[in-house]
Amino acid sequence: MKVHEYQGKEVLERYGVRTQRGILATTPEEAQAAFEQLASQGHELAVVKAQIHAGGRGKGGGVKLVKSAEETREVAVTMLGMMLKTHQTAPEGQKVRKLFVCEGLDLARELYVGIALDRALGLPVLMASAEGGVEIETIAEERPEALLRLPIIPDTGLTSAQAAEAADFLGLVGDLKTNAIDFLISLAKAYIELDCEIAEINPLAITEDNQVVALDAKINFDANALYRHPDIAAMQDIHEEDAREVEAATFGLNYITLDGSIGCMVNGAGLAMATMDTIQSHGGSAANFLDVGGSATEEAITEAFRIILSDENVKGILVNIFGGIMKCDVIARGVIAAAKNVDLTIPLVVRLEGTNVERGRELLNSSGLDLISADSLDHGAKLICEAVK
Ligand code: GDP
Ligand code: MN
């Protein structure tokens, strides 16, 4: 799960990680008041930062330095409600609903540090580079020697020796080195304790007054561990999530939007993956991943149909169900009820296998529904790919 920069910074501050602090604003008046508050604390400069779940905001016009309350208000008027386009948003951009008005800092250097899970190693890895503010993927690819990578043993955390090695790599000496060591150890502690997937600080700023400050914070949490962190789960901003995925989750469906044209309704994650692959091998492409689970009710199946059909890219549907614990006749009843309920006008191919399959097929055949029956996954995938051509 992704959170906004202001939320990521709030979480890091709990662990003693020094961040560029700010005040959240959702109206131009609040933004103006935020500047006044920062000014009263001695800041002459502030930074208005659009809060969307995407990086590259600076280049897209979502990060602006401001010098007065009036200027802050004007910037807020332009930014709030704008569709901010960055290399990480959809082409139409992402709507800006919140601004983080931050203390403006005088920067001496911009560095990069991040922790991410290395799936090959099976460990989190601390990455550090002296070149901050740049896409780290570019550095990793073009000049890997400019990127330090240190695996972290979760039980131990980032050791002082590792943190010192990273500080040396970044060219930090004296107090700056000491500050950076504390910063990195705290960042790693937050990453491990909060079940993060990514904790990326880009840039990590060295200020003119020798502080080590997180200027930006991109923190992603492992959705499967959110039950351990209800306060973080509550940080989810549904405006930033795919509307269909949010809806599907409320019905216990595992749904992920993809960009193909064939809607898939499958029980079991492995079977869903195999179904997508088989569609691909017949020259088609899946519009979604959907695992309705092992105990989907008629209501959940109806909902699944509705969600699939709400995607205008969907030109046909393949239902692929293996009745194990779940019986095929129960599924067939669900499919029939759902298809009648949602006024189906596109091709529907159904492949059923497993317990009570004969009864299930009978029900489908006598339902009066305009559906195509398939007798294997391969056959079903072939039929739906032909039907949507
Ligand atoms: P991103 O573009 O979405 O990654 O947004 P960032 O939070 O990383 O901000 C983009 C850039 O704005 C940073 O790389 C900095 O160069 C600049 N910036 C942000 N805050 C300050 C600040 O307080 N002072 C100065 N001088 N520059 C800042
Ligand atoms: Mn950044």
Side-chain angles (χ1 to χ4, degrees):
M1 186 188 84
K2 294 180 182 173
V3 297
H4 289 294
E5 173 198 356
Y6 78 93
Q7 295 165 317
K9 284 178 169 177
E10 181 206 308
V11 166
L12 292 179
E13 287 275 348
R14 292 185 206 164
Y15 282 82
V17 176
R18 169 74 166 98
T19 70
Q20 176 199 37
R21 292 165 192 143
I23 299 160
L24 194 68
T26 55
T27 65
E29 292 68 36
E30 283 175 15
Q32 182 171 355
F35 183 94
E36 281 157 3
Q37 196 177 324
L38 291 169
S40 74
Q41 293 164 8
H43 295 285
E44 289 168 9
L45 188 70
V47 194
V48 181
K49 308 182 82 177
Q51 298 299 290
I52 59 167
H53 285 188
R57 296 164 301 164
K59 284 189 195 124
V63 177
K64 296 268 190 229
L65 294 171
V66 287
K67 292 199 176 70
S68 71
E70 181 50 26
E71 194 185 357
T72 308
R73 209 188 60 82
E74 283 164 15
V75 166
V77 167
T78 334
M79 257 190 218
L80 282 168
M82 83 187 261
M83 295 298 285
L84 180 55
K85 297 187 188 81
T86 83
H87 66 288
Q88 287 183 357
T89 63
E92 69 274 17
Q94 180 67 30
K95 189 171 180 173
V96 178
R97 299 164 192 272
K98 293 174 184 171
L99 303 174
F100 200 33
V101 183
C102 295
E103 54 182 342
L105 301 171
D106 292 324
L107 311 182
R109 289 180 69 195
E110 295 188 43
L111 312 170
Y112 172 96
V113 298
I115 304 177
L117 186 66
D118 183 318
R119 290 177 197 278
L121 277 178
L123 289 173
V125 170
L126 172 74
M127 293 170 290
S129 170
E131 295 164 50
V134 193
E135 283 298 295
I136 201 63
E137 290 82 357
T138 316
I139 295 177
E141 210 164 283
E142 290 172 4
R143 280 172 315 102
E145 70 282 358
L147 184 69
L148 176 73
R149 294 171 49 88
L150 298 173
I152 302 170
I153 308 297
D155 287 343
T156 320
L158 187 76
T159 64
S160 308
Q162 286 181 309
E165 185 182 346
D168 288 339
F169 185 82
L170 295 172
L172 303 174
V173 293
D175 283 352
L176 274 178
K177 180 172 173 178
T178 314
N179 291 348
I181 290 171
D182 288 347
F183 183 104
L184 293 172
I185 291 174
S186 304
L187 179 68
K189 191 164 191 285
Y191 180 95
I192 293 162
E193 285 189 10
L194 298 174
D195 297 301
C196 295
E197 283 178 343
I198 295 172
E200 183 181 69
I201 311 301
N202 190 18
L204 173 70
I206 305 301
T207 62
E208 292 290 356
D209 57 352
N210 273 347
Q211 293 198 70
V212 178
V213 183
L215 216 61
D216 194 3
K218 173 183 171 177
I219 317 283
N220 295 0
F221 299 92
D222 180 349
N224 291 318
L226 283 175
Y227 72 95
R228 298 206 278 220
H229 314 289
D231 55 329
I232 286 166
M235 289 180 178
Q236 186 181 46
D237 181 349
I238 55 159
H239 294 302
E240 298 282 335
E241 310 284 341
D242 182 291
R244 278 185 281 273
E245 291 177 13
V246 171
E247 219 192 331
T250 66
F251 286 86
L253 303 163
N254 293 310
Y255 176 95
I256 293 162
T257 302
L258 302 168
D259 55 11
S261 62
I262 297 171
C264 304
M265 186 156 101
V266 188
N267 67 331
L271 191 59
M273 301 289 272
T275 305
M276 289 160 52
D277 286 350
T278 313
I279 287 173
Q280 192 91 30
S281 77
H282 284 286
S285 61
N288 66 283
F289 167 95
L290 171 60
D291 169 16
V292 300
S295 58
T297 59
E298 193 172 306
E299 189 202 11
I301 290 177
T302 307
E303 192 56 29
F305 256 96
R306 222 179 42 68
I307 291 170
I308 290 173
L309 288 171
S310 70
D311 179 350
E312 61 200 19
N313 293 326
V314 170
K315 305 289 180 251
I317 297 180
L318 173 60
V319 174
N320 182 26
I321 300 284
F322 183 81
I325 298 167
M326 187 122 106
K327 297 184 181 66
C328 286
D329 54 324
V330 174
I331 293 286
R333 278 195 200 91
V335 169
I336 293 163
K340 286 189 174 159
N341 238 314
V342 295
D343 185 25
L344 195 69
T345 55
I346 54 173
L348 168 66
V349 173
V350 181
R351 179 255 176 167
L352 288 180
E353 199 52 77
T355 315
N356 291 2
V357 64
E358 291 81 9
R359 179 82 194 110
R361 290 204 182 123
E362 258 171 53
L363 285 166
L364 287 176
N365 292 339
S366 59
S367 66
L369 271 181
D370 187 15
L371 58 79
I372 309 162
S373 249
D375 40 51
S376 71
L377 166 54
D378 193 61
H379 184 220
K382 186 163 175 281
L383 289 174
I384 193 66
C385 287
E386 283 165 1
V388 301
K389 268 221 178 93

